[in-house]
C-alpha cells in the first residue's frame, strides 16, 4: 500500500469543551512517544484531528504502534490530492487501484468542509464516481451496501481520499485523569483492570504482594512480565513489590480460618493506600469482579473497603470471565497470566472462606492484633520499587 499520510481522529474528547485542546495535545504527545522509532514522521495538528506524513516510513508498523495510543477514535491511511477536480479524480482512481482486494461495488462519499470549492458534495459524488467507473472494468456503483466506501474530504488544509477506517482504542489520553495504584496479582483479572484504567486516562503504578519463600522467584518474574506488557502502552510503569510473608503467617496462625482472606485483603488495602499517599496517587484499582470468588462478594468488599479512605476503582465489577479473558487476549497478558506460578493469595486460601463476614467481628479480631499496625508500616518501608518498560528483560518473550 502506497500510503502517504495517516489521518487520526478523536472520539469522546470532542465532548470535553474547554478541555478539548488540552486533551488533543496529550493524545498528540502520546502518539509521538509511541512512534518515536520512526524519525521521518511529520505531525500536523488541526482542529479535531491530526495528520501524520509518513515520508517513507512503513505504514503497517506505524499503524501497529497507533493501535496502542489511548484517546484515538480511529485512523485512516489517506492519499492527499491537490484542491482541483482533476487531481481529486486521479487520486480517487489510484486509491481504488491500490486496494488489496479488488472490489466489485463502490460508492463515493464527499464531505465538503471547505465551502469555497466550486462543486457541491452531491455533484462531486457523481463527478468522481463516474471517472472511477470509466477507468475500472467490472466495477459497479452500490450506494446501499458497497464493498468500498471511497471517502473524499475537502478541507481548507487539503483534500484527502481514503476508504479504510481502522478502529482506535478510544478512551481518554494517557495521564489525563491522574494517578492510581493497581493491585496487581499474577492472575488474569488485575492486568485487564489496569489496562482499562489506563484507557480512562490513568497513570498506574502496580503494587504486588509476594510471600517469599512460599512464592517463587518465577511468580515474581511473572508479575514483572505482566507489568512490562502493560508498559507497552506508555513509557513505563513503576512496580512496587511488597513483602507480605510476615503478615500472612501471623494472620494464619492467630485468626479464624474462614476470615483469613478478608483480613489479608484489609491489610493489603491498608498498605496500598499508604503507598498511594507516598507516591501521590489518588485511587486504588483492583481486578475484582462481583461474586467471582469468596472475597469478591458484596459483603466482603464492603468489609474490606472500610479500611481505606481513597476511592477504589473496580473496572471489571460487572464483567463475566469470558469478557475479561477476551480483553486479556487482546492486550496479550493472557498467555502470561495462565502460567502456573502461584501468588500469595492462592497459596493461603482457606478451605471454607466466608462470603458474608461481619464487619464488627473482623474489627474485633483486628483490635487484638497488636502487631498489625507495625507490620503494615514495615511492609511499606521494605517495599522494593522497580521501573518497568518495554526494554526491561523478561522471561516469556517467546509467548508473543
Amino acid at each position: 500500500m502506497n500510503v502517504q499520510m495517516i489521518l487520526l481522529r478523536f472520539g469522546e474528547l470532542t465532548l470535553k469543551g474547554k478541555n478539548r485542546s488540552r486533551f488533543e495535545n496529550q493524545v498528540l504527545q502520546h502518539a509521538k512517544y509511541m512512534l518515536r522509532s520512526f524519525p521521518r514522521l511529520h505531525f500536523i495538528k488541526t482542529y479535531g484531528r491530526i495528520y501524520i506524513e509518513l515520508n517513507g516510513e512503513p505504514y503497517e508498523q506505524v499503524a501497529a504502534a497507533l493501535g496502542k495510543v489511548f484517546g484515538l477514535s480511529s485512523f485512516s491511511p489517506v492519499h492527499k490530492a491537490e484542491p482541483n477536480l482533476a487531481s481529486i479524480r486521479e487520486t480517487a482512481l489510484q486509491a481504488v487501484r491500490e486496494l488489496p482486494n479488488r472490489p466489485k461495488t463502490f460508492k463515493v462519499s464527499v464531505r465538503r468542509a471547505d465551502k469555497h470549492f466550486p462543486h457541491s458534495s452531491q455533484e462531486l459524488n457523481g463527478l468522481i464516481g463516474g471517472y472511477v467507473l470509466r477507468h475500472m472494468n467490472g466495477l459497479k456503483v452500490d450506494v446501499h451496501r458497497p464493498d468500498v466506501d471511497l471517502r473524499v474530504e475537502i478541507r481548507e488544509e487539503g483534500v484527502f481520499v481514503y476508504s479504510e477506517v481502522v478502529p482506535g482504542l478510544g478512551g481518554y489520553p494517557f495521564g489525563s485523569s491522574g494517578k492510581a495504584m493497581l493491585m496487581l496479582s499474577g492472575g488474569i483479572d488485575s492486568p485487564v483492570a489496569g489496562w482499562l484504567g489506563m484507557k480512562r486516562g490513568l497513570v498506574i503504578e502496580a503494587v504486588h504482594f509476594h510471600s517469599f519463600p512460599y512464592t517463587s522467584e518465577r511468580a515474581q518474574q511473572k508479575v514483572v512480565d505482566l507489568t512490562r506488557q502493560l508498559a507497552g502502552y506508555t513509557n513505563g510503569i513503576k512496580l512496587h513489590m511488597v513483602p507480605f510473608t510476615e503478615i500472612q503467617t501471623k494472620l494464619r496462625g492467630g485468626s479464624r480460618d474462614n476470615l483469613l482472606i478478608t483480613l489479608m485483603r484489609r491489610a493489603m488495602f491498608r498498605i496500598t493506600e499508604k503507598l498511594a499517599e507516598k507516591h501521590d496517587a489518588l485511587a486504588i484499582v483492583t481486578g475484582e469482579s462481583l461474586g467471582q470468588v469468596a472475597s469478591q462478594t458484596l459483603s466482603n468488599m464492603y468489609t474490606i473497603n472500610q479500611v481505606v479512605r481513597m476511592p477504589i476503582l473496580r473496572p471489571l465489577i460487572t464483567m463475566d470471565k469470558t469478557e475479561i479473558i477476551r480483553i486479556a487476549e487482546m492486550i496479550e497478558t493472557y498467555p502470561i497470566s495462565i502460567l502456573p506460578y502461584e501468588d500469595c493469595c492462592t497459596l493461603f486460601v482457606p478451605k471454607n472462606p466466608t462470603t458474608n463476614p461481619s464487619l464488627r467481628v473482623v474489627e474485633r479480631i483486628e483490635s487484638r492484633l497488636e502487631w498489625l499496625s507495625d507490620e503494615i508500616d514495615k511492609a511499606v518501608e521494605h517495599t522494593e520499587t522497580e521501573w518497568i518498560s518495554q526494554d526491561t528483560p523478561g522471561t516469556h518473550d517467546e509467548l508473543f
Side-chain angles (χ1 to χ4, degrees):
M1 183 183 296
N2 183 26
V3 179
Q4 302 163 323
M5 302 180 69
I6 303 176
L7 163 62
L8 312 185
R9 304 179 190 83
F10 305 109
E12 57 188 298
L13 303 184
T14 58
L15 306 178
K16 292 301 171 182
K18 295 180 180 179
N19 290 323
R20 174 173 176 163
S21 179
R22 177 172 65 87
F23 279 16
E24 289 180 357
N25 285 331
Q26 286 178 294
V27 175
L28 175 58
Q29 294 308 312
H30 190 195
K32 285 182 175 180
Y33 179 81
M34 298 301 288
L35 297 170
R36 64 194 182 281
S37 59
F38 305 99
R40 295 193 297 272
L41 297 180
H42 177 62
F43 295 81
I44 304 168
K45 183 177 180 296
T46 64
Y47 185 75
R49 55 184 54 199
I50 297 169
Y51 300 95
I52 303 176
E53 293 178 344
L54 292 178
N55 296 318
E57 297 287 6
Y59 167 73
E60 289 77 12
Q61 295 177 32
V62 172
L66 287 173
K68 292 190 173 183
V69 176
F70 295 112
L72 288 182
S73 170
S74 63
F75 60 90
S76 294
V78 301
H79 293 74
K80 189 174 182 180
E82 296 298 322
N84 60 72
L85 181 58
S87 177
I88 295 172
R89 282 172 154 180
E90 281 298 328
T91 304
L93 179 60
Q94 178 189 355
V96 174
R97 283 174 171 168
E98 289 184 359
L99 290 171
N101 298 311
R102 183 164 180 171
K104 294 181 179 179
T105 60
F106 85 116
K107 76 172 182 177
V108 176
S109 302
V110 175
R111 183 182 178 190
R112 190 176 63 113
D114 180 4
K115 301 305 180 184
H116 295 98
F117 199 81
H119 300 279
S120 70
S121 297
Q122 194 62 39
E123 288 173 338
L124 287 166
N125 287 339
L127 290 169
I128 298 168
Y131 184 83
V132 173
L133 276 175
R134 288 194 298 273
H135 292 81
M136 293 284 293
N137 293 329
L139 190 62
K140 296 181 179 179
V141 172
D142 183 345
V143 297
H144 300 294
R145 300 183 67 180
D147 295 335
V148 170
D149 183 358
L150 188 63
R151 306 182 191 197
V152 180
E153 293 192 9
I154 301 175
R155 308 175 69 88
E156 291 185 3
E157 62 266 23
V159 179
F160 306 97
V161 180
Y162 62 92
S163 62
E164 183 181 6
V165 178
V166 182
L169 288 180
Y172 290 168
F174 179 75
S176 61
S177 298
K179 185 194 293 185
M181 309 301 278
L182 168 67
M183 297 179 72
L184 181 64
S185 70
I188 296 170
D189 301 338
S190 56
V192 173
W195 184 84
L196 290 172
M198 292 164 69
K199 184 178 178 180
R200 301 310 294 173
L202 288 177
V203 172
I204 62 166
E205 294 188 9
V207 180
H208 178 70
F209 295 85
H210 67 88
S211 294
F212 188 80
Y214 298 104
T215 53
S216 67
E217 290 185 7
R218 285 189 172 185
Q220 292 185 47
Q221 182 61 48
K222 176 181 174 181
V223 172
V224 170
D225 291 345
L226 286 170
T227 306
R228 188 166 58 97
Q229 191 63 25
L230 292 177
Y233 293 86
T234 179
N235 61 334
I237 296 174
K238 282 184 180 178
L239 172 60
H240 305 282
M241 303 291 279
V242 181
F244 202 58
T245 309
E246 193 69 20
I247 293 174
Q248 278 191 297
T249 53
K250 286 186 174 181
L251 285 174
R252 192 178 191 184
S255 308
R256 285 171 46 178
D257 190 56
N258 66 330
L259 289 173
L260 179 59
I261 291 295
T262 303
L263 293 166
M264 281 171 42
R265 294 288 288 174
R266 280 168 64 94
M268 287 176 172
F269 272 81
R270 287 184 173 105
I271 292 168
T272 303
E273 184 175 56
K274 285 180 177 290
L275 289 170
E277 292 169 348
K278 185 177 179 180
H279 294 274
D280 300 319
L282 299 177
I284 297 171
V285 178
T286 80
E288 293 164 301
S289 175
L290 187 60
Q292 186 167 256
V293 294
S295 65
Q296 295 175 20
T297 62
L298 193 59
S299 178
N300 241 319
M301 285 191 286
Y302 171 80
T303 302
I304 294 166
N305 280 12
Q306 303 310 304
V307 299
V308 296
R309 301 181 305 277
M310 63 176 48
I312 300 171
L313 309 179
R314 297 180 168 96
L316 313 184
I317 194 65
T318 61
M319 290 188 184
D320 61 34
K321 201 66 175 183
T322 303
E323 294 175 283
I324 297 168
I325 289 173
R326 179 181 59 79
I327 298 174
E329 290 174 335
M330 181 188 75
I331 65 175
E332 297 184 323
T333 56
Y334 183 75
I336 304 172
S337 294
I338 61 174
L339 292 170
Y341 309 134
E342 296 176 306
D343 59 32
C344 63
C345 291
T346 307
L347 290 173
F348 283 79
V349 172
K351 290 183 179 180
N352 297 297
T354 182
T355 58
N356 188 29
S358 164
L359 177 60
R360 186 171 57 200
V361 170
V362 170
E363 290 178 337
R364 186 166 65 244
I365 291 172
E366 288 181 341
S367 70
R368 297 197 294 266
L369 303 177
E370 297 178 355
W371 53 267
L372 184 58
S373 180
D374 287 342
E375 290 296 339
I376 285 172
D377 288 339
K378 286 181 185 178
V380 173
E381 181 182 351
H382 291 96
T383 293
E384 296 181 355
T385 299
E386 184 178 356
W387 178 256
I388 307 296
S389 71
Q390 281 282 283
D391 299 326
T392 304
T395 59
H396 306 304
D397 293 320
E398 70 277 3
L399 292 172
F400 306 107

